[in-house]
Amino acid sequence: NGPRSTRFVVWLAVSAVIIFLVIVVVNALTDSPLPELPARGPADRALFWMTLGLSSLGVVVLLVLVGDATVTTMWFVDRLKDGRTVYPPETVARFADELGPELREQACGLIAAYPDQRGKPDAVRTNTILDDWIDARLLAEHTAAIGRLIIFPFIILALMVVARSRLFDNWEIGGSVLAVLLMYLLWSIALAALMNFSAEQARRKAVSGMEADLRWMRGAGKAYEGLIGTFEDLLRDVRTLRKGAFAPFFEQPLVQAILVPLGGAGGIQLLDWLLYARAQ
């Protein structure tokens, strides 16, 4: 859409400027030119420069798109933390169906947003008892989809490192190329870490809200008596949710993504070293 396209163009231009400045500064500090292309003849050299330029542009485009999706998700998580979400009746009914027909009507009943407002004659009833639980479920599903995107730039980074191995030709990774790759890596790690941190804050907010709702239901009389046991199970599910940004450490997209370039680069460098040692 229009806003996303505008952000993409702006951040693509900003990224290009930053990358150019990094290359210039690193080359000036290390007093080293760009790595020489292992090409014979002007035609091969032109082909190499063209493919390198296109692949580098593709990496920057991919990083900008994934970064935009991650930042937008972080903005969405922050909105969930600001207050209590008001969901359409159709959405609430869809989640209430999972509780069974006996509890569906109680779960879909409209209440005031916070326990201290309930029971007052002028209270605005726009929320339901399932709001925080739906928040957590929605966040887990959405971050699971975004988390898979974060891995793609790391796969490209691994390929860029592997492709410059001397197993294939007389390639080398110069200081400027290494600096740009490191910048890519740190940028992606920062985005993923911030998203996971925001998600955990949203989970704590959802748990706190559900605990307050549970205390209120226990004192609300028979109206919610049948829902208390099920609601305790829902609260337990939110606390132990292990999907998306709530996954265990080694199942986090961030950790898996970091292992991709390290594993690819480490494996190819080890093979390169073994072949070099055998040649000696």
Side-chain angles (χ1 to χ4, degrees):
N1 54 27
R4 173 162 290 183
S5 299
T6 302
R7 294 196 304 269
F8 168 73
V9 172
V10 170
W11 286 111
L12 185 62
V14 171
S15 301
V17 172
I18 292 175
I19 292 172
F20 175 76
L21 292 177
V22 168
I23 293 175
V24 171
V25 170
V26 172
N27 287 342
L29 293 177
T30 59
D31 195 21
S32 60
L34 290 173
E36 185 67 21
L37 292 178
R40 297 175 180 87
D44 286 345
R45 189 172 297 276
L47 176 63
F48 273 43
W49 275 117
M50 181 181 67
T51 54
L52 281 175
L54 291 176
S55 63
S56 299
L57 177 62
V59 171
V60 177
V61 168
L62 180 62
L63 284 169
V64 170
L65 290 175
V66 173
D68 180 74
T70 306
V71 171
T72 306
T73 299
M74 291 165 54
W75 178 89
F76 174 67
V77 173
D78 287 336
R79 299 291 76 77
L80 291 181
K81 294 187 297 182
D82 284 344
R84 184 150 184 156
T85 311
V86 178
Y87 286 102
E90 298 80 7
T91 302
V92 177
R94 176 187 173 186
F95 283 90
D97 287 340
E98 299 182 18
L99 308 182
E102 297 179 356
L103 302 177
R104 186 180 187 277
E105 184 177 354
Q106 292 176 321
C108 291
L110 295 179
I111 58 175
Y114 302 103
D116 58 351
Q117 301 173 353
R118 297 164 193 168
K120 298 180 180 180
D122 58 342
V124 179
R125 301 179 181 182
T126 56
N127 295 84
T128 68
I129 206 69
L130 299 181
D131 296 336
D132 289 316
W133 177 57
I134 298 175
D135 280 352
R137 290 277 300 274
L138 174 62
L139 191 56
E141 294 288 343
H142 186 64
T143 55
I146 296 299
R148 288 192 292 269
L149 296 179
I150 298 175
I151 299 179
F152 294 145
F154 286 85
I155 296 176
I156 300 300
L157 292 179
L159 290 175
M160 291 178 69
V161 174
V162 171
R164 284 166 173 76
S165 172
R166 293 190 178 183
L167 289 174
F168 305 115
D169 211 327
N170 189 30
W171 288 98
E172 61 176 325
I173 300 180
S176 58
V177 175
L178 186 61
V180 172
L181 293 178
L182 182 61
M183 185 183 67
Y184 288 162
L185 185 66
L186 293 178
W187 171 246
S188 301
I189 291 174
L191 287 177
L194 287 174
M195 186 181 71
N196 291 333
F197 178 74
S198 298
E200 281 300 328
Q201 286 185 318
R203 191 221 290 263
R204 288 195 292 268
K205 178 258 182 185
V207 168
S208 176
M210 293 181 71
E211 290 174 343
D213 287 340
L214 183 60
R215 290 192 297 269
W216 175 79
M217 281 192 294
R218 287 170 176 166
K222 295 183 178 180
Y224 289 91
E225 187 176 5
L227 189 59
I228 292 177
T230 301
F231 198 80
E232 290 175 343
D233 293 336
L234 298 182
L235 177 57
R236 192 177 304 111
D237 288 343
V238 173
R239 285 172 173 162
T240 59
L241 201 57
R242 298 164 62 92
K243 187 174 184 178
F246 306 129
F249 180 75
F250 284 105
E251 297 177 18
Q252 290 279 358
L254 169 64
V255 179
Q256 294 178 350
I258 293 175
L259 294 178
V260 169
L262 294 181
I268 201 69
Q269 292 299 330
L270 177 61
L271 183 59
D272 197 357
W273 181 82
L274 290 175
L275 292 178
Y276 178 77
R278 179 177 295 181
Q280 297 297 318

